[in-house]
Amino acid sequence: LASLKTTLGDYRFDNVFMNASGVHCETAAELDEVAASPAGTLVTKTGTLQPRSGNPEPRFAVLELGTINSMGLPNQGVDYYLAYAEQFQAQHPEQPIFLSVAGMQPSDFPVLAQKIQDSGFTGLTEFNLSCPNVPGKPQIAYDLATTAEILTAIFTAFKKPAGVKLPPYFDLAQFDQVAAILNRYPLTFINSINSRGNGLWIDPETDTTTIRPKGGFGGIGGQYAKPVALANVRAFRQRLRADIGIIGTGGVTTGRDAYELILCGANLVSLGSVLATEGVGAFSRLTTELKAEMAKKGYSRVDEFRGQLNTL
Ligand code: DOR
């Protein structure tokens, strides 16, 4: 039977699936539910230096083919997630997990990095450079000079395994520029993609936006995101150093979708919209579907087809 075992850097996981940061991971109870599912690992909600209540509701909606959200980084604060992660690793020493963090301003990033560096956390840290939903704040990773400055500041303090959560890019010249910057730093992974920022959805009955914050603009996920996610994973796999792994995120609703992200180069596959709409049962369904797809194609391990996309 097909195995979904995978690796990222020196870390090993029994299953390629994990949650996407922001979905089913704001509280210890939600994180415990992901941990108890077939998921191979988990990531916390993005923690900021101070707890945040986020944007006014409604701030999430299910659409025809995905979701829109403008949560605005509601979270319990980095100390909460760091305490959870340290307790988790004491109880599950063989199961590495991810801590997601973000600054509300560039200068927060080295402070977060130092805090995690000084802690007992031995897992992987995902620095979120791509939240599209905080009013007045740009998506950091669209500003390449600021991105480079933040990475330089982070890696001055930080010696533990780290990665960055990236927004979708849409131009091949941008992939070249972003990858050239990322390749200068000791990154263990990237996570591509965050939601497609600042989409808009209108209720046809009322001619009104579906979410309240920012006049209705919000990050788009689910099936709308799939071709963009595939392209981003593929484009970065073609450009990044071989030792930088990739977490593929975006548009996975079937085992075939996950298979395609792996074909494009993903080491792990994370679930956002599908986990928000279906709950943790999505992990067992997709595990079964991905194994069936691999069996159909004659593969027994994910490294047999990772990155093996055919082109014409
Ligand atoms: O779509 C997203 N929503 N991406 C993020 O990085 C943050 C999150 C939120 O809290 O708004």
Side-chain angles (χ1 to χ4, degrees):
L1 210 68
S3 157
L4 299 191
K5 281 187 195 302
T6 191
T7 58
L8 190 68
D10 296 332
Y11 292 81
R12 290 171 192 284
F13 305 91
D14 284 340
N15 189 315
V16 295
F17 289 111
M18 64 185 290
N19 65 306
S21 182
V23 183
H24 218 94
C25 61
E26 199 179 325
T27 64
E30 290 178 317
L31 289 159
D32 285 344
E33 282 178 21
V34 178
S37 83
T41 181
L42 57 84
V43 58
T44 68
K45 173 67 182 173
T46 297
T48 49
L49 282 174
Q50 303 303 325
R52 291 171 53 82
S53 53
N55 291 338
E57 294 180 342
R59 57 193 186 182
F60 171 85
V62 178
L63 313 178
E64 283 169 19
L65 298 174
T67 61
I68 186 168
N69 90 84
S70 184
M71 306 302 287
L73 292 177
N75 78 93
Q76 318 268 340
V78 64
D79 291 337
Y80 176 94
Y81 300 110
L82 201 47
Y84 179 88
E86 290 192 52
Q87 195 186 340
F88 185 92
Q89 74 193 22
Q91 286 161 2
H92 310 85
E94 302 299 314
Q95 224 184 314
I97 63 171
F98 294 73
L99 186 64
S100 172
V101 294
M104 296 310 297
Q105 51 206 8
S107 61
D108 287 355
F109 281 94
V111 179
L112 288 159
Q114 191 67 57
K115 190 184 259 293
I116 301 163
Q117 180 65 32
D118 293 342
S119 77
F121 179 57
T122 57
L124 301 104
T125 302
E126 180 171 288
F127 291 92
N128 183 356
L129 303 182
S130 48
C131 175
N133 301 326
V134 178
K137 303 278 184 186
Q139 278 167 277
I140 295 168
Y142 286 142
D143 174 344
L144 303 192
T146 302
T147 295
E149 280 167 26
I150 288 174
L151 286 171
T152 298
I154 287 172
F155 285 112
T156 302
F158 207 63
K159 308 299 169 199
K160 296 180 176 181
V164 285
K165 180 76 170 275
L166 298 172
Y169 297 97
F170 299 95
D171 190 299
L172 294 181
Q174 273 181 317
F175 289 118
D176 292 342
Q177 291 163 356
V178 176
I181 291 170
L182 298 176
N183 281 332
R184 301 207 303 257
Y185 296 94
L187 288 163
T188 298
F189 70 97
I190 65 157
N191 188 333
S192 178
I193 59 173
N194 206 320
S195 60
R196 298 184 60 157
N198 298 301
L200 197 54
W201 191 268
I202 300 168
D203 178 341
E205 297 297 320
T206 62
D207 295 353
T208 304
T209 58
T210 51
I211 57 172
R212 186 180 305 280
K214 291 174 60 180
F217 289 82
I220 305 294
Q223 292 180 62
Y224 302 110
K226 175 177 161 176
V228 182
L230 290 175
N232 275 258
V233 170
R234 172 71 168 172
F236 278 117
R237 187 63 287 156
Q238 291 173 313
R239 288 166 175 77
L240 291 176
R241 290 195 324 261
D243 65 301
I244 301 179
I246 300 182
I247 303 175
T249 306
V252 175
T253 59
T254 67
R256 175 67 201 182
D257 298 330
Y259 179 92
E260 290 180 11
L261 277 172
I262 298 167
L263 265 188
C264 290
N267 297 74
L268 285 157
V269 174
S270 84
L271 306 183
S273 294
V274 73
L275 178 58
T277 54
E278 193 174 323
V280 290
F283 288 113
S284 45
R285 177 177 65 81
L286 287 165
T287 294
T288 303
E289 289 182 12
L290 176 54
K291 285 181 177 177
E293 182 69 15
M294 288 168 59
K296 192 168 111 189
K297 298 285 181 171
Y299 295 122
S300 54
R301 298 192 322 269
V302 291
D303 55 0
E304 291 168 347
F305 65 99
R306 179 180 298 121
Q308 301 301 312
L309 177 66
N310 295 316
T311 56
L312 299 176

